[in-house]
Amino acid sequence: MFSIIRKIGKFIRGGAGAPQMLLSCLIGFMIGMNPSFNLSMGLGILLAIVLNTSLGLVLLSAALGRLLAWPMAPVTFQIGYFLIHQAGLT
């Protein structure tokens, strides 16, 4: 039982240290929060490849970001609307 959990953990981490794991999560979450393929998603994928991040952790974080993007869409829209139209950031 524990050997399966260790194998899954080793696949997700990919032998990466704490900074690489944090970077993998951030890049994966950024990729997952994008609504479509655009420049920021392309740059995120390029960063994940160039910086040699953990592919398993990037994919897991991207899936989590994609799952959270749908229920958070109204909230992020209202925050963006407030920042652009009412807080004077235009």
Side-chain angles (χ1 to χ4, degrees):
M1 175 68 178
F2 291 115
S3 64
I4 295 171
I5 295 172
R6 284 190 205 128
K7 286 180 183 180
I8 292 171
K10 193 179 287 188
F11 169 73
I12 290 174
R13 288 185 301 140
Q20 289 86 6
M21 289 173 59
L22 177 68
L23 190 62
S24 297
C25 288
L26 290 176
I27 291 173
F29 200 75
M30 181 189 77
I31 290 171
M33 290 293 284
N34 279 314
S36 64
F37 190 81
N38 52 20
L39 181 62
S40 61
M41 183 181 286
L43 290 176
I45 293 170
L46 184 66
L47 274 175
I49 293 169
V50 169
L51 296 177
N52 197 19
T53 57
S54 171
L55 180 63
L57 203 52
V58 168
L59 293 175
L60 182 67
S61 299
L64 182 65
R66 182 64 63 184
L67 287 174
L68 288 176
W70 289 105
M72 289 189 58
V75 175
T76 56
F77 174 78
Q78 291 297 328
I79 291 170
Y81 185 86
F82 172 77
L83 289 175
I84 291 173
H85 297 289
Q86 296 172 351
L89 293 180
T90 56

